[in-house]
C-alpha cells in the first residue's frame, strides 16, 4: 500500500463536499467523545486534517450517513485515483461537482452497473470493499469470514465477499455482537474509523511483540484479585522470563493463559496436570476433548510451548524443539503475519472478540 502518498493526500482533503457539512463551526458540539468513544481517535484525526467538520451549530453528525458520490471523492483524494476513461454511468453529468471523482473512482468499484446513483447512501460492505480496492490492496483468495462467528456473514453480497475478507482480517472492519452488519448504512463515524485504520495500520491495534509494560508483581496482584489458583500466580515469573527471550509482551501471554485456563483453575477439557496454558491442540485433533489437547512435561515446558505457538503466529523463531501443532500453524498461509493482539480473534480462536478480551484483561492488569 502506498502509505506515504496516502498520508499526504488525506491531509489535503477538502471537507466541504466530502463527509462534512457545508459550513465549518469554530466550536464542535460537546459530548460526541462520550457518544462515540470507539471512534474518538479516528474522528479527532479526521477533524485535525479537515476530513470532517461540523455544521453551523457544531454538530459533527457522526451518526449521519455517507453518499456514494461523497465516497468517490474521499477515495479519489486520499488514494490519488486517476482515470482517462469517460464516465460510464448514465446518471452522472459532466457539469456535476462529483463528475471527476466518479470518473477516477469507477475503475475501483467492486460492483458496477449502468447507474452510479451518487445520492444513495453507502452500506458498510460497499464502503469496506471499495476501501480495499481503492487503497491498492488485493481481495483475499477465499471467503472465510463465516469462521469468525459472524451470524450474518452469508448475507454479504458476492461482489464484496473476498474484498471484505481482506477488510476483516486486516481489522479495518470489525464485528458487533456477533454480526458484521454488511447491509447497514455506513455512518460518518464509521467512515472515519475505516479510513483511519488503513492510513494508520497500527490504529486501534496492540502489538504482540515488544517489551513488558506490566511488572510481574502487578500481574500476580491482578491474578490474585481474579481468584486465580496458586499455580497460575506462581508461573508468572516464567512468563516474564520467556517474554524477554522471545521479544513477546509477557502480559499479553499471561492474560491469554488466564483466559484459556480460567486463571489456572481449569475446569474444561484441559486438565491442570497437562501443563497446557493456552489450550493448544494436538497435531490432528478430532474434537475438543481432553485427548485432543497437548500435554507438556512441566509447567515451564508448557509456558515455552505457549510462546513457541505464538511465535508461529507472529513470525519469530521457536526456542527448543516445538510441539507438533506449531508446525501445523506454520503451514497456514497467514503464519507469521499476525502482529496484533486483536488479530488473534478468528485465528487462535473463532471468536472475533477473542483478542479484544485479552486486551481488556491487560488493561485491568495495569491498574495493580
Amino acid at each position: 500500500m502506498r502509505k506515504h502518498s496516502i498520508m499526504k493526500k488525506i491531509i489535503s482533503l477538502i471537507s466541504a463536499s466530502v463527509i462534512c457539512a457545508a459550513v465549518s463551526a469554530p466550536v464542535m458540539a460537546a459530548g460526541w467523545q462520550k457518544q462515540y468513544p470507539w471512534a474518538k481517535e479516528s474522528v479527532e484525526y479526521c477533524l485535525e486534517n479537515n476530513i470532517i467538520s461540523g455544521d453551523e451549530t457544531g454538530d459533527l453528525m457522526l451518526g449521519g450517513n455517507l453518499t456514494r458520490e461523497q465516497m468517490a471523492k474521499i477515495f479519489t483524494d486520499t488514494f490519488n485515483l486517476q482515470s482517462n476513461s469517460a464516465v460510464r454511468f448514465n446518471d452522472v453529468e459532466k457539469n456535476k461537482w462529483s463528475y471527476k471523482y466518479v470518473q477516477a473512482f469507477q475503475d475501483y468499484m467492486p460492483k458496477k452497473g449502468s447507474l452510479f446513483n451518487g445520492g444513495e447512501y453507502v452500506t458498510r460492505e460497499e464502503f469496506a470493499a471499495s476501501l480495499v480496492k481503492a487503497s491498492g490492496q488485493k481481495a483475499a483468495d477465499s471467503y472465510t469470514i463465516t469462521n469468525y462467528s459472524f451470524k450474518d456473514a452469508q448475507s454479504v453480497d458476492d461482489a464484496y465477499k473476498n474484498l471484505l475478507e481482506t477488510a476483516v482480517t486486516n481489522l479495518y472492519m470489525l464485528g458487533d455482537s456477533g454480526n458484521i452488519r454488511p447491509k447497514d448504512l455506513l455512518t460518518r463515524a464509521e467512515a472515519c474509523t475505516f479510513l483511519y485504520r488503513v492510513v494508520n495500520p497500527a490504529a486501534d491495534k496492540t502489538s504482540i511483540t515488544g517489551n513488558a509494560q506490566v511488572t510481574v508483581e502487578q500481574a500476580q496482584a491482578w491474578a490474585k484479585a481474579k481468584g486465580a489458583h496458586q499455580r497460575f500466580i506462581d508461573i508468572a515469573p516464567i512468563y516474564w522470563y520467556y517474554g524477554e527471550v522471545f521479544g513477546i509482551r509477557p502480559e499479553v501471554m499471561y492474560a491469554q493463559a488466564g483466559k484459556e485456563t480460567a486463571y489456572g483453575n481449569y475446569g474444561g477439557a484441559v486438565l491442570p496436570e497437562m501443563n497446557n496454558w493456552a489450550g493448544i491442540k494436538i497435531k490432528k485433533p478430532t474434537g475438543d476433548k481432553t485427548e485432543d489437547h497437548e500435554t507438556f512435561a512441566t509447567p515451564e515446558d508448557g509456558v515455552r510451548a505457549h510462546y513457541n505457538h505464538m511465535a508461529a503466529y507472529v513470525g519469530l523463531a521457536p526456542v527448543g524443539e516445538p510441539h507438533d501443532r506449531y508446525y501445523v500453524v506454520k503451514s497456514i498461509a497467514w503464519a507469521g503475519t499476525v502482529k496484533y493482539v486483536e488479530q488473534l480473534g478468528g485465528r487462535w480462536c473463532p471468536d472475533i472478540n477473542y483478542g479484544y478480551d485479552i486486551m481488556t484483561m491487560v488493561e485491568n492488569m495495569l491498574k495493580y
Side-chain angles (χ1 to χ4, degrees):
M1 185 169 61
R2 306 178 296 278
K3 293 180 183 176
H4 297 297
S5 63
I6 287 171
M7 291 303 290
K8 289 180 181 177
K9 294 302 292 184
I10 197 168
I11 291 173
S12 67
L13 284 174
I14 299 173
S15 61
S17 57
V18 188
I19 57 175
C20 62
V23 180
S24 295
V27 179
M28 296 298 111
W32 69 264
Q33 295 94 336
K34 292 183 179 180
Q35 190 175 0
Y36 297 93
W38 52 270
K40 183 177 183 296
E41 189 177 28
S42 57
V43 170
E44 287 177 346
Y45 176 83
C46 288
L47 284 170
E48 290 169 5
N49 293 291
N50 296 320
I51 300 169
I52 66 168
S53 65
D55 62 14
E56 64 275 6
T57 69
D59 186 358
L60 296 176
M61 299 175 292
L62 296 177
N65 302 124
L66 192 75
T67 66
R68 191 168 290 114
E69 58 188 351
Q70 289 170 344
M71 177 177 67
K73 178 170 171 50
I74 290 176
F75 292 154
T76 297
D77 285 347
T78 304
F79 304 115
N80 194 26
L81 306 182
Q82 298 178 15
S83 175
N84 294 321
S85 303
V87 171
R88 297 187 293 269
F89 303 104
N90 299 332
D91 58 343
V92 180
E93 300 177 358
K94 283 190 175 182
N95 61 353
K96 194 167 188 181
W97 73 265
S98 60
Y99 182 88
K100 65 178 181 179
Y101 302 115
V102 176
Q103 180 183 28
F105 175 59
Q106 63 184 354
D107 292 334
Y108 298 89
M109 293 180 66
K111 193 174 183 179
K112 300 176 177 65
S114 60
L115 300 177
F116 183 67
N117 295 317
E120 286 189 359
Y121 291 131
V122 178
T123 61
R124 283 165 51 87
E125 64 178 355
E126 181 180 2
F127 188 87
S130 300
L131 177 60
V132 171
K133 287 204 73 172
S135 61
Q137 299 178 75
K138 295 181 179 179
D141 293 331
S142 59
Y143 182 66
T144 62
I145 290 176
T146 50
N147 296 334
Y148 285 59
S149 301
F150 292 133
K151 291 174 284 192
D152 55 356
Q154 291 295 358
S155 67
V156 173
D157 192 294
D158 288 343
Y160 302 139
K161 281 185 175 179
N162 287 26
L163 289 163
L164 218 63
E165 177 79 19
T166 299
V168 169
T169 55
N170 286 329
L171 304 180
Y172 305 148
M173 183 180 189
L174 305 179
D176 178 23
S177 302
N179 293 292
I180 197 69
R181 300 189 290 114
K183 306 300 183 186
D184 285 9
L185 296 180
L186 183 86
T187 66
R188 287 155 52 87
E190 288 174 329
C192 285
T193 303
F194 286 22
L195 191 65
Y196 185 54
R197 288 169 182 160
V198 172
V199 300
N200 185 2
D204 300 329
K205 303 183 185 78
T206 309
S207 178
I208 294 172
T209 59
N211 297 323
Q213 297 177 22
V214 177
T215 66
V216 176
E217 292 74 20
Q218 282 179 297
Q220 290 177 313
W222 166 79
K224 289 177 182 177
K226 292 295 183 180
H229 192 282
Q230 191 62 40
R231 65 170 69 91
F232 185 70
I233 298 169
D234 292 343
I235 203 65
I238 305 301
Y239 267 94
W240 263 250
Y241 167 75
Y242 277 109
E244 289 191 14
V245 172
F246 280 84
I248 292 176
R249 291 176 59 189
E251 64 269 29
V252 170
M253 302 294 283
Y254 192 58
Q256 185 181 27
K259 182 175 178 62
E260 291 285 349
T261 68
Y263 304 100
N265 292 300
Y266 290 90
V270 180
L271 306 177
E273 57 267 27
M274 296 169 73
N275 298 314
N276 187 337
W277 299 102
I280 297 171
K281 294 284 187 72
I282 60 175
K283 184 177 182 179
K284 294 182 179 181
T286 58
D288 197 34
K289 300 185 291 295
T290 298
E291 57 268 27
D292 292 309
H293 295 83
E294 286 275 9
T295 295
F296 303 102
T298 67
E300 181 173 345
D301 285 338
V303 173
R304 181 174 59 83
H306 186 181
Y307 272 93
N308 276 340
H309 205 69
M310 187 64 78
Y313 279 69
V314 301
L316 295 175
V319 172
E321 180 59 36
H323 52 283
D324 290 342
R325 193 71 181 177
Y326 165 89
Y327 296 104
V328 174
V329 175
K330 286 288 289 183
S331 69
I332 301 173
W334 50 254
T337 68
V338 181
K339 306 300 182 182
Y340 303 105
V341 178
E342 293 82 0
Q343 288 178 298
L344 294 173
R347 287 174 173 166
W348 191 293
C349 172
D351 183 3
I352 195 67
N353 295 312
Y354 180 81
Y356 290 93
D357 291 345
I358 291 173
M359 279 316 305
T360 298
M361 296 167 78
V362 171
E363 289 167 5
N364 288 335
M365 210 181 292
L366 282 163
K367 299 176 183 177
Y368 288 86

Coordinates of all heavy atoms in Angstrom, one line a residue, residues 269-331:
A269 N -11.9 -29.2 29.2 CA -11.3 -30.4 28.7 C -9.8 -30.6 29.1 O -9.3 -31.7 29.3 CB -11.4 -30.5 27.2
V270 N -9.1 -29.4 29.2 CA -7.7 -29.4 29.5 C -7.5 -29.6 31.0 O -8.2 -28.8 31.8 CB -7.0 -28.2 29.0 CG1 -5.5 -28.2 29.4 CG2 -7.1 -28.0 27.5
L271 N -6.7 -30.5 31.5 CA -6.6 -30.8 32.9 C -5.3 -30.1 33.4 O -4.3 -29.9 32.6 CB -6.5 -32.3 33.1 CG -7.6 -33.1 32.6 CD1 -7.4 -34.6 32.8 CD2 -8.9 -32.7 33.2
P272 N -5.2 -29.7 34.7 CA -4.1 -29.0 35.2 C -2.8 -29.7 35.0 O -1.7 -29.1 34.7 CB -4.4 -28.9 36.7 CG -5.9 -28.9 36.8 CD -6.3 -29.9 35.7
E273 N -2.8 -31.1 35.1 CA -1.6 -31.8 35.0 C -1.0 -31.9 33.6 O 0.1 -32.4 33.4 CB -1.8 -33.3 35.6 CG -2.9 -34.0 34.9 CD -4.2 -33.9 35.6 OE1 -4.4 -32.9 36.3 OE2 -5.1 -34.8 35.5
M274 N -1.8 -31.4 32.6 CA -1.3 -31.4 31.3 C -0.3 -30.2 31.0 O 0.3 -30.1 29.9 CB -2.5 -31.3 30.3 CG -3.4 -32.5 30.4 SD -5.0 -32.3 29.5 CE -4.4 -32.4 27.8
N275 N -0.3 -29.3 31.9 CA 0.6 -28.1 31.8 C 0.5 -27.4 30.5 O 1.4 -26.8 29.9 CB 2.1 -28.6 31.9 CG 2.4 -29.2 33.3 OD1 2.0 -28.6 34.3 ND2 3.0 -30.3 33.3
N276 N -0.8 -27.3 30.1 CA -1.1 -26.7 28.8 C -1.8 -25.4 29.1 O -3.0 -25.3 29.5 CB -2.0 -27.6 28.0 CG -2.3 -27.0 26.6 OD1 -2.2 -25.8 26.3 ND2 -2.6 -27.9 25.7
W277 N -1.1 -24.2 29.0 CA -1.6 -23.0 29.5 C -2.4 -22.2 28.4 O -2.9 -21.2 28.7 CB -0.4 -22.1 29.9 CG 0.4 -22.6 31.1 CD1 1.6 -23.2 31.0 CD2 0.0 -22.5 32.4 NE1 2.0 -23.6 32.2 CE2 1.1 -23.2 33.2 CE3 -1.1 -22.1 33.2 CZ2 1.1 -23.3 34.5 CZ3 -1.1 -22.2 34.5 CH2 0.0 -22.8 35.2
A278 N -2.4 -22.8 27.2 CA -3.1 -22.0 26.1 C -4.1 -22.8 25.3 O -4.4 -22.4 24.2 CB -2.0 -21.4 25.2
G279 N -4.5 -23.9 25.8 CA -5.5 -24.7 25.0 C -4.9 -25.2 23.7 O -5.7 -25.4 22.8
I280 N -3.6 -25.5 23.7 CA -3.0 -25.9 22.4 C -3.5 -27.4 22.0 O -3.4 -28.3 22.9 CB -1.5 -25.9 22.5 CG1 -1.0 -24.4 22.8 CG2 -0.8 -26.4 21.3 CD1 0.4 -24.3 23.1
K281 N -3.9 -27.5 20.8 CA -4.4 -28.8 20.4 C -3.2 -29.7 19.9 O -2.1 -29.2 19.7 CB -5.3 -28.6 19.2 CG -6.7 -28.0 19.5 CD -7.6 -28.9 20.3 CE -9.0 -28.3 20.5 NZ -9.8 -28.2 19.3
I282 N -3.5 -31.0 19.7 CA -2.5 -31.9 19.1 C -2.5 -31.7 17.6 O -3.2 -30.9 17.1 CB -2.9 -33.4 19.5 CG1 -4.2 -33.8 18.9 CG2 -2.8 -33.6 21.0 CD1 -4.6 -35.2 19.1
K283 N -1.6 -32.4 16.9 CA -1.5 -32.3 15.5 C -2.7 -32.5 14.7 O -3.1 -31.7 13.9 CB -0.4 -33.2 15.0 CG 0.0 -33.0 13.5 CD 1.1 -33.9 13.1 CE 1.5 -33.6 11.6 NZ 2.6 -34.5 11.2
K284 N -3.5 -33.6 15.1 CA -4.7 -33.9 14.3 C -5.8 -34.2 15.3 O -6.2 -35.3 15.6 CB -4.4 -35.1 13.4 CG -3.5 -34.9 12.3 CD -3.3 -36.1 11.4 CE -2.4 -35.8 10.2 NZ -2.2 -37.0 9.4
P285 N -6.4 -33.2 15.9 CA -7.5 -33.4 16.8 C -8.8 -33.8 16.1 O -9.0 -33.5 14.9 CB -7.7 -32.0 17.5 CG -7.2 -31.1 16.4 CD -6.1 -31.7 15.7
T286 N -9.6 -34.5 16.8 CA -10.9 -35.0 16.2 C -12.0 -34.2 16.8 O -13.2 -34.4 16.4 CB -11.1 -36.5 16.3 OG1 -11.0 -36.8 17.8 CG2 -10.0 -37.2 15.6
G287 N -11.7 -33.5 17.8 CA -12.8 -32.7 18.5 C -12.2 -31.8 19.5 O -11.1 -31.2 19.3
D288 N -12.9 -31.6 20.7 CA -12.4 -30.7 21.7 C -12.4 -31.4 23.0 O -12.7 -30.8 24.1 CB -13.3 -29.5 21.8 CG -12.6 -28.3 22.5 OD1 -11.4 -28.2 22.4 OD2 -13.4 -27.5 23.2
K289 N -12.0 -32.7 23.0 CA -11.9 -33.5 24.2 C -10.5 -33.4 24.8 O -9.6 -32.8 24.2 CB -12.3 -34.9 23.9 CG -13.7 -35.1 23.3 CD -14.0 -36.6 23.2 CE -13.2 -37.2 22.1 NZ -13.5 -36.7 20.7
T290 N -10.4 -33.9 26.0 CA -9.1 -33.9 26.7 C -7.9 -34.4 25.8 O -6.9 -33.8 25.7 CB -9.1 -34.7 28.0 OG1 -10.1 -34.1 28.9 CG2 -7.8 -34.7 28.7
E291 N -8.2 -35.6 25.1 CA -7.1 -36.2 24.3 C -6.8 -35.4 23.0 O -5.9 -35.7 22.3 CB -7.6 -37.6 24.0 CG -8.9 -37.8 23.3 CD -10.0 -38.0 24.2 OE1 -10.0 -37.5 25.4 OE2 -11.1 -38.6 23.8
D292 N -7.6 -34.4 22.8 CA -7.4 -33.5 21.6 C -6.4 -32.4 21.9 O -6.0 -31.6 21.0 CB -8.7 -32.9 21.1 CG -9.6 -34.0 20.5 OD1 -9.1 -34.7 19.6 OD2 -10.8 -34.0 20.9
H293 N -5.9 -32.4 23.1 CA -5.0 -31.3 23.5 C -3.6 -31.8 23.9 O -3.5 -32.9 24.4 CB -5.6 -30.5 24.7 CG -6.9 -29.8 24.4 ND1 -8.1 -30.4 24.4 CD2 -7.1 -28.5 24.0 CE1 -9.0 -29.5 24.0 NE2 -8.5 -28.4 23.8
E294 N -2.6 -31.0 23.7 CA -1.2 -31.3 24.0 C -1.0 -31.4 25.5 O -1.7 -30.8 26.3 CB -0.3 -30.3 23.5 CG -0.1 -30.3 22.0 CD 1.0 -31.3 21.5 OE1 1.4 -32.0 22.4 OE2 1.3 -31.2 20.3
T295 N -0.1 -32.3 25.9 CA 0.4 -32.4 27.3 C 1.9 -32.1 27.3 O 2.6 -32.6 26.4 CB 0.1 -33.8 27.8 OG1 -1.3 -34.1 27.9 CG2 0.8 -34.0 29.2
F296 N 2.3 -31.3 28.2 CA 3.7 -30.9 28.4 C 4.3 -31.4 29.7 O 3.6 -31.5 30.7 CB 3.9 -29.4 28.2 CG 3.3 -28.9 26.9 CD1 2.0 -28.3 26.9 CD2 4.0 -29.1 25.7 CE1 1.5 -27.8 25.7 CE2 3.4 -28.6 24.5 CZ 2.2 -28.0 24.5
A297 N 5.6 -31.7 29.7 CA 6.2 -32.4 30.8 C 6.1 -31.6 32.1 O 5.9 -32.1 33.2 CB 7.6 -32.8 30.5
T298 N 6.4 -30.3 32.0 CA 6.4 -29.5 33.2 C 5.7 -28.2 33.0 O 5.4 -27.8 31.8 CB 7.9 -29.1 33.6 OG1 8.4 -28.2 32.6 CG2 8.8 -30.3 33.7
P299 N 5.3 -27.4 34.0 CA 4.7 -26.1 33.8 C 5.5 -25.2 33.0 O 5.0 -24.5 32.1 CB 4.5 -25.6 35.3 CG 4.4 -26.8 36.1 CD 5.4 -27.8 35.5
E300 N 6.8 -25.2 33.2 CA 7.7 -24.3 32.4 C 7.7 -24.8 30.9 O 7.7 -23.9 30.0 CB 9.1 -24.3 32.9 CG 10.0 -23.4 32.1 CD 11.4 -23.2 32.7 OE1 11.6 -23.6 33.9 OE2 12.3 -22.8 32.0
D301 N 7.7 -26.1 30.7 CA 7.6 -26.5 29.3 C 6.3 -26.0 28.6 O 6.3 -25.7 27.4 CB 7.6 -28.1 29.2 CG 9.0 -28.6 29.5 OD1 10.0 -27.9 29.3 OD2 9.1 -29.8 29.8
G302 N 5.3 -26.0 29.4 CA 4.0 -25.5 28.9 C 4.1 -24.0 28.5 O 3.5 -23.6 27.5
V303 N 4.8 -23.2 29.3 CA 4.9 -21.8 29.0 C 5.7 -21.6 27.7 O 5.4 -20.8 26.9 CB 5.6 -21.1 30.2 CG1 5.9 -19.6 29.8 CG2 4.7 -21.1 31.4
R304 N 6.8 -22.4 27.6 CA 7.7 -22.3 26.4 C 6.9 -22.7 25.2 O 7.0 -22.1 24.1 CB 8.9 -23.2 26.6 CG 9.9 -23.1 25.4 CD 11.2 -23.9 25.7 NE 10.9 -25.3 26.0 CZ 10.7 -26.2 25.0 NH1 10.7 -25.9 23.7 NH2 10.4 -27.5 25.4
A305 N 6.1 -23.7 25.3 CA 5.2 -24.2 24.2 C 4.2 -23.1 23.8 O 4.0 -22.8 22.6 CB 4.5 -25.4 24.6
H306 N 3.7 -22.4 24.8 CA 2.7 -21.3 24.6 C 3.5 -20.2 23.7 O 2.9 -19.7 22.7 CB 2.3 -20.7 25.9 CG 1.2 -19.7 25.8 ND1 0.7 -19.0 26.9 CD2 0.6 -19.1 24.7 CE1 -0.2 -18.1 26.5 NE2 -0.3 -18.2 25.1
Y307 N 4.7 -19.8 24.1 CA 5.4 -18.8 23.4 C 5.8 -19.3 22.0 O 5.8 -18.6 21.0 CB 6.7 -18.4 24.2 CG 6.5 -17.3 25.1 CD1 6.1 -17.6 26.5 CD2 6.6 -16.0 24.8 CE1 5.9 -16.6 27.4 CE2 6.4 -15.0 25.7 CZ 6.1 -15.2 27.0 OH 5.9 -14.2 27.9
N308 N 6.2 -20.6 21.9 CA 6.5 -21.1 20.6 C 5.3 -21.1 19.6 O 5.4 -20.8 18.4 CB 7.0 -22.6 20.7 CG 8.5 -22.7 21.0 OD1 9.3 -21.7 20.8 ND2 8.9 -23.8 21.5
H309 N 4.2 -21.4 20.2 CA 2.9 -21.4 19.4 C 2.7 -20.0 18.9 O 2.3 -19.8 17.7 CB 1.8 -21.9 20.2 CG 0.7 -22.5 19.4 ND1 0.8 -23.7 18.8 CD2 -0.6 -22.0 19.2 CE1 -0.4 -23.9 18.1 NE2 -1.2 -23.0 18.4
M310 N 2.8 -19.0 19.8 CA 2.6 -17.6 19.4 C 3.7 -17.2 18.4 O 3.4 -16.4 17.5 CB 2.6 -16.7 20.6 CG 2.2 -15.2 20.3 SD 0.5 -15.0 19.7 CE -0.4 -15.1 21.2
A311 N 4.9 -17.7 18.5 CA 6.0 -17.3 17.6 C 5.6 -17.7 16.2 O 6.0 -17.0 15.2 CB 7.2 -18.0 18.0
A312 N 4.9 -18.8 16.0 CA 4.4 -19.2 14.7 C 3.4 -18.2 14.1 O 3.4 -18.0 12.9 CB 3.8 -20.6 14.7
Y313 N 2.6 -17.6 14.9 CA 1.7 -16.6 14.5 C 2.3 -15.3 14.1 O 2.0 -14.7 13.1 CB 0.7 -16.3 15.6 CG -0.4 -17.3 15.8 CD1 -0.2 -18.6 16.2 CD2 -1.8 -17.0 15.5 CE1 -1.2 -19.6 16.4 CE2 -2.8 -17.9 15.6 CZ -2.5 -19.2 16.1 OH -3.5 -20.1 16.2
V314 N 3.3 -14.9 14.9 CA 3.9 -13.6 14.6 C 5.2 -13.6 13.8 O 5.6 -12.6 13.3 CB 4.2 -12.9 16.0 CG1 3.0 -12.7 16.8 CG2 5.3 -13.6 16.7
G315 N 5.7 -14.8 13.5 CA 6.9 -14.9 12.6 C 8.2 -14.9 13.3 O 9.2 -14.4 12.8
L316 N 8.3 -15.4 14.5 CA 9.5 -15.5 15.3 C 10.0 -16.9 15.3 O 9.3 -17.9 15.2 CB 9.3 -14.9 16.7 CG 9.0 -13.5 16.8 CD1 8.7 -13.1 18.3 CD2 10.1 -12.6 16.3
A317 N 11.3 -17.1 15.6 CA 11.9 -18.4 15.7 C 11.5 -19.1 17.0 O 11.4 -18.4 18.0 CB 13.4 -18.3 15.5
P318 N 11.3 -20.4 17.0 CA 11.0 -21.1 18.2 C 12.2 -21.2 19.1 O 13.3 -21.1 18.7 CB 10.5 -22.4 17.7 CG 11.2 -22.7 16.4 CD 11.4 -21.3 15.8
V319 N 11.9 -21.6 20.3 CA 13.0 -21.9 21.3 C 12.9 -23.3 21.7 O 11.9 -23.8 22.2 CB 12.9 -21.0 22.5 CG1 13.9 -21.4 23.6 CG2 13.1 -19.5 22.2
G320 N 14.0 -24.1 21.4 CA 13.9 -25.5 21.7 C 13.1 -26.2 20.6 O 12.7 -25.6 19.6
E321 N 12.8 -27.5 20.9 CA 12.0 -28.3 19.9 C 10.5 -27.9 20.1 O 10.0 -28.2 21.1 CB 12.2 -29.7 20.1 CG 11.5 -30.6 19.2 CD 11.8 -30.4 17.7 OE1 13.0 -30.1 17.4 OE2 10.9 -30.4 16.9
P322 N 9.9 -27.4 19.0 CA 8.5 -27.1 19.1 C 7.6 -28.3 19.2 O 8.0 -29.4 18.8 CB 8.2 -26.2 17.9 CG 9.5 -25.9 17.3 CD 10.4 -27.0 17.7
H323 N 6.4 -28.1 19.7 CA 5.4 -29.2 19.7 C 4.8 -29.4 18.3 O 5.0 -28.5 17.4 CB 4.3 -28.9 20.6 CG 3.7 -27.5 20.4 ND1 4.4 -26.3 20.8 CD2 2.6 -27.1 19.8 CE1 3.6 -25.3 20.5 NE2 2.5 -25.7 19.9
D324 N 4.1 -30.4 18.0 CA 3.6 -30.8 16.7 C 2.7 -29.7 16.1 O 2.7 -29.4 14.9 CB 2.8 -32.1 16.7 CG 3.8 -33.3 16.9 OD1 5.0 -33.1 16.6 OD2 3.3 -34.4 17.2
R325 N 1.8 -29.1 17.0 CA 0.8 -28.1 16.5 C 1.5 -26.9 16.0 O 1.0 -26.1 15.1 CB -0.1 -27.8 17.6 CG -1.4 -27.0 17.2 CD -2.3 -27.9 16.4 NE -3.5 -27.2 15.9 CZ -4.4 -27.7 15.2 NH1 -4.4 -29.0 14.8 NH2 -5.4 -27.0 14.8
Y326 N 2.7 -26.6 16.4 CA 3.5 -25.4 15.9 C 3.7 -25.5 14.4 O 3.5 -24.6 13.7 CB 4.8 -25.4 16.6 CG 5.8 -24.4 16.0 CD1 5.9 -23.1 16.3 CD2 6.7 -24.9 15.0 CE1 6.9 -22.3 15.7 CE2 7.7 -24.1 14.4 CZ 7.7 -22.8 14.8 OH 8.6 -22.0 14.2
Y327 N 4.0 -26.7 14.0 CA 4.2 -26.9 12.5 C 2.9 -26.8 11.7 O 3.0 -26.5 10.5 CB 4.9 -28.3 12.3 CG 6.3 -28.3 12.9 CD1 6.5 -29.0 14.1 CD2 7.4 -27.6 12.3 CE1 7.8 -29.1 14.7 CE2 8.6 -27.7 12.9 CZ 8.8 -28.4 14.1 OH 10.1 -28.4 14.7
V328 N 1.8 -27.2 12.3 CA 0.6 -27.0 11.7 C 0.3 -25.6 11.4 O -0.1 -25.2 10.3 CB -0.6 -27.7 12.5 CG1 -1.9 -27.4 11.9 CG2 -0.4 -29.2 12.7
V329 N 0.5 -24.7 12.4 CA 0.3 -23.3 12.2 C 1.2 -22.7 11.2 O 0.8 -21.9 10.3 CB 0.5 -22.5 13.6 CG1 0.4 -21.0 13.4 CG2 -0.6 -23.0 14.6
K330 N 2.5 -23.2 11.2 CA 3.5 -22.7 10.3 C 3.1 -23.0 8.8 O 3.6 -22.3 7.9 CB 4.9 -23.3 10.6 CG 5.5 -22.7 11.8 CD 6.0 -21.3 11.6 CE 7.2 -21.3 10.6 NZ 7.7 -19.9 10.5
S331 N 2.3 -24.0 8.6 CA 1.9 -24.4 7.2 C 0.7 -23.6 6.7 O 0.4 -23.6 5.5 CB 1.5 -25.9 7.2 OG 0.3 -26.1 7.9

